[in-house]
Amino acid sequence: MAVWIQAQQLQGDALHQMQSLYGQHFPIEVRHYLSQWIESQPWDSVDLENPQEEFKAKRLLDSLVQELQKKADHQVGEDGFLLKIKLGHYASQLKSTYDRCPLELVRCIKHILYTEQRLVREATNSISPVGGMMDSMSQKYQQINQAFEELRVMTQDTDNDLRKLQHHQEYFIIQYQESLRIQAQLSSLSSLPPADRQLREPSLQSKRAAVEAWLTREANTLQKYRLDLAEKHQKTLQMLRKQQTIILDDELIQWKRRQQLAGNGGPPEGGLDILQSWCEKLAEMIWQNRQQIRRAEHLRQQLPIPGPIEELLTELNSTITDIISALVTSTFIIEKQPPQVLKTQTKFAATVRLLVGGRLNVHMNPPQVKATIISEQQAKALLKNENTRNESSGEILNNNCVMEYHQTTGTLSAHFRNMSLKRIKRSDRRGAESVTEEKFTILFESQFSVGGNELVFQVKTLSLPVVVIVHGSQDNNATATVLWDNAFAEPGRVPFLVPDKVLWPQLCEAINMKYKAEVQSNRGLSEENLVFLAQKAFSNGSINPEDYRNMTISWSQFNRESLPGRNFTFWQWFDGVMELTKKHLKPHWNDGAILGFVNKQQAQDMLMSKPNGTFLLRFSDSEIGGITIAWVAENPNKAGERMVWNLMPYTSKDFSIRSLADRISDLNHLLFLYPDRPKDDVFSKYYTPPLSKPVDGYVKPQIKQVVPEFTTANPDPSSVNPTYMEHAASPAVSHSHGYGIYPPMNDPMLDTEGEFDLDDTMDVARHVEELLRRPMENQWSGQQS
């Protein structure tokens, strides 16, 4: 169902929120009459942070105006006349409003569509009971909204009490002036004759006594009103603080945690619109109460009455200032984090945002934000309020940016688009720590003037930890540091402490999240895959998942110590698998064609029970970013015996020459993908189409793959097409005798384990191609000689 149809069915507060999206900047009538057209346009394809996208936005604006004008022109009859005039007016209005800033129109419509979808989703959830109850998220939102309604009522109540107090105080002052006038009249009686004085004095004395008695009573009443009002303000501030704690210490912290996990490939952290709406409501409530407290203070100064009220008002003022300070400083956040693996001399971006938007008029004096890179030690000192002014650990170019207020969305943010880390100053490293384990952070700082310069706040926020590299070869290890930090950082930690050891299931969750994100697949790591990884990480042979449930893995085991018998760490091996799968194997992984996480012995056990020609794909144990084909076939040296063969692992370099599917197609002895799927059923949709016919008399050479032992029973080396690329096979089980087809180690393309060298093979291929280009008679004469 179209979003607009559902949006029109909203009720109560949701309907009010939806209606508030519209106004002069985008009339609701335009949304109504062009609803289908608006929802079908590619608004999300426009990058609002890229000024070069303005051309796209301009085309969308022109199309919108044309559609609106077309709609207006189609209105006929008496009923359509007014609508025709109205829609034509809106077309002109939108054109004049956004012609110079078409990106703002896109920003406005994206905000409207996103908010409508959220409101519809929330409304759908609230009326679709799960077991007769709303989900916890809806309940939480409802509680927050109910608290805001209570605060609104309390704030209105104290505002009414304040008006009454002011009215009573004004009347008190009038009566006090009357008392002074009576006193002046009594004083003036001394100048009158005694008879006149005696005549008038009793009446004035009586009046004075009555007025003074009233003033005494009224002073006590005023004092009580003031104390009652102060108590009500105390309760309001307590509730404000509690509501602010829920929003800032629960909801915002959870958003930041989701943002951190998104850095590991977790689900997107979600938009900030709901949080901003709450923070704006908080700002409004806090500011209204602050203004009320200041008015109460002004009334006390106008009419000082001895009592505890002065101390109470001072305390209230201090409390409300603390609350507003916490709100402003905590809602200065990083909406878009800088890259966590940061390469020097490379452009990068970040966005900071103030979630109170325009509610406190911060944008009336646009703040400037400065970005600085600081070390872990400097970040610790900063959070302890130790003086770190002007200290940094490097130089960032283009590190100043002014915060801009977007009227249509109500966002106040600064977009750093072209920062670059020019140089970095490293600290002395501890023990075995490498440069890729050293953490920095980008500090963003500014100064905000709140409420027309009534209050000024220094604000700072730190990015997620970043690891600085100077060469792409460091990326792998830097990513490991970032992944470990993102996965296992505790909220409110001292920068940037992480546990040295974690439970194996915790790491499984982290690497599974990373794997699915990198490969962009819904197919994650199965329990069998994770057992294989546990065997590799702990050098353990157990196949029972429960045996690893309570085991811990240390950072050293993860990415500092090499795996037994290898020159690479567990993470380096796993990252190589991810990289290979992401670049070359994603469709096959998604199809379930790659078992991958299987060792050589397991592959042999699985294949020996299957017919000849059955094969599987597994990641190489011995090579980073390698995958091999294992298949079962007859042993050419022993009649009636079958064995499992393994091709030398393919790497990205191989697949950049010829794809996995084409290589499998080349090898006719591979028949069934384990357990029993015909290979063409699985891979044929990925085969490269046959070459076209020769052009201009030239035939294009083609590289294909051949395993000589499986090409023919008695191969004649001269008969093998020289343009083929030969892959030798290696038996899974070693034998003391040589093969019946070729001597085992006479082939220069085989290593000691019968593995294949791609570079040598390509050299042979190039040499043969060169021979083919020579005149035929020269080749024969060369052989005869």
Side-chain angles (χ1 to χ4, degrees), residues 541-569:
S542 172
I543 59 171
N544 184 2
E546 293 302 318
D547 290 346
Y548 302 104
R549 194 76 64 199
N550 296 315
M551 291 181 71
T552 58
I553 182 167
S554 67
W555 165 253
S556 292
Q557 287 172 293
F558 180 66
N559 195 47
R560 192 177 279 172
E561 300 167 358
S562 294
L563 292 170
R566 306 295 182 200
N567 62 352
F568 48 79
T569 66

Side-chain angles (χ1 to χ4, degrees), residues 1-10 15 18-19 21-22 27-36 38-39 112-113 116-117 120:
M1 192 189 298
V3 176
W4 182 241
I5 295 173
Q6 295 173 296
Q8 291 175 81
Q9 298 168 9
L10 294 171
L15 179 61
M18 188 271 284
Q19 290 170 334
L21 294 170
Y22 299 96
I28 196 167
E29 291 89 345
V30 176
R31 176 70 174 101
H32 181 73
Y33 288 104
L34 296 185
S35 59
Q36 284 188 330
I38 288 171
E39 290 176 33
I112 285 171
L113 292 175
E116 283 179 355
Q117 288 166 356
V120 166

Side-chain angles (χ1 to χ4, degrees), residues 316-353:
L316 286 171
N317 227 327
S318 174
T319 302
I320 198 79
T321 303
D322 286 346
I323 293 174
I324 201 167
S325 173
L327 178 67
V328 172
T329 54
S330 299
T331 57
F332 180 58
I333 63 159
I334 302 171
E335 182 178 11
K336 179 187 175 186
Q337 292 280 342
Q340 287 188 263
V341 176
L342 193 56
K343 190 178 177 187
T344 54
Q345 312 294 334
T346 304
K347 190 172 82 168
F348 67 96
T351 301
V352 293
R353 178 168 166 182

Side-chain angles (χ1 to χ4, degrees), residues 33 69 71-89:
Y33 288 104
Q69 196 61 58
K71 194 77 174 176
D73 293 342
H74 286 157
Q75 302 305 315
V76 294
E78 187 178 339
D79 293 337
F81 177 72
L82 287 177
L83 185 58
K84 181 174 187 172
I85 299 295
K86 205 170 192 178
L87 293 180
H89 169 70

Side-chain angles (χ1 to χ4, degrees), residues 361-410:
N361 291 330
V362 173
H363 61 288
M364 301 304 284
N365 183 15
Q368 182 160 300
V369 185
K370 180 182 179 183
T372 315
I373 189 164
I374 62 174
S375 68
E376 185 174 335
Q377 290 301 321
Q378 289 165 339
K380 285 178 187 173
L382 187 73
L383 292 190
K384 289 179 184 174
N385 289 323
E386 295 176 7
N387 185 22
T388 57
R389 185 169 296 279
N390 298 326
E391 285 190 29
S392 71
S393 291
E395 182 183 349
I396 298 177
L397 303 179
N398 303 317
N399 67 330
N400 285 286
C401 187
V402 174
M403 296 195 86
E404 298 176 2
Y405 181 66
H406 302 281
Q407 189 76 39
T408 51
T409 58

